[in-house]
Amino acid sequence: MAETSEISGSLIPLARREAMILLEAGYLWLDMGQFDKAREVFAGAVVLMPRSEVPQLAMGSLEFAQGRHDKALQAYRAAQRLAPQSALPRAHVGEALLFMGKVPEAVKELKAAMELEPEGDGARLAQSLLEAKEAGALPPPSARR
């Protein structure tokens, strides 16, 4: 029997490799601009893995890629509720808030991500976003949709 994925929290037995392939397929559709197909894959992953933050992060990435920062924030917040001690959902929440022009709230989330897992991916993303904000690389709120 295949190893059950620790990222899946699956409703049905789902091997780690299968979960990764499913999510990778969604990201490939996303990268190709096939948003409807990516949404179908990610929505399926959300249903199959309801206790995992990973599919919620994927849904957030899909919404963010389409400039729907408010919907991305909703998905990232859902991921954050599923994994409150994980820095990556918190960093993505900060990212969405930055692009929504909610800078003080975004900075708070980004700093919290860096404190949660100082050496993790979430902290690196948060640090990069803070540096980009300080360098003026992020568009001003008035230039966003």
Side-chain angles (χ1 to χ4, degrees):
M1 183 169 171
E3 173 189 342
T4 300
S5 173
E6 69 271 8
I7 67 164
S8 67
S10 302
L11 289 176
I12 60 171
L14 188 64
R16 179 175 176 81
R17 183 169 185 247
E18 292 166 341
M20 290 172 61
I21 290 169
L22 177 64
L23 291 166
E24 186 62 30
Y27 278 108
L28 287 171
W29 286 123
L30 175 59
D31 289 345
M32 292 188 299
Q34 299 290 317
F35 301 128
D36 290 340
K37 291 177 181 178
R39 183 176 311 284
E40 287 178 29
V41 172
F42 292 150
V46 167
V47 170
L48 286 172
M49 299 178 268
R51 292 182 300 275
S52 173
E53 77 279 11
V54 177
Q56 292 291 345
L57 289 171
M59 287 296 286
S61 295
L62 171 65
E63 298 296 350
F64 194 90
Q66 295 175 85
R68 294 187 253 199
H69 302 122
D70 56 335
K71 291 192 180 290
L73 179 61
Q74 290 173 4
Y76 294 148
R77 288 278 192 212
Q80 191 176 24
R81 284 190 297 277
L82 289 167
Q85 296 306 310
S86 177
L88 196 55
R90 192 168 290 270
H92 281 293
V93 164
E95 177 182 40
L97 290 167
L98 272 178
F99 278 80
M100 294 171 72
K102 298 180 179 183
V103 176
E105 191 178 350
V107 169
K108 179 182 170 191
E109 293 288 348
L110 295 170
K111 287 182 178 179
M114 292 167 52
E115 290 173 10
L116 275 173
E117 297 173 40
E119 302 300 318
D121 291 340
R124 284 189 288 279
L125 173 60
Q127 183 65 44
S128 295
L129 289 165
L130 285 171
E131 289 171 4
K133 179 198 142 312
E134 292 302 317
L138 296 178
S142 61
R144 295 180 205 124
R145 292 185 248 180

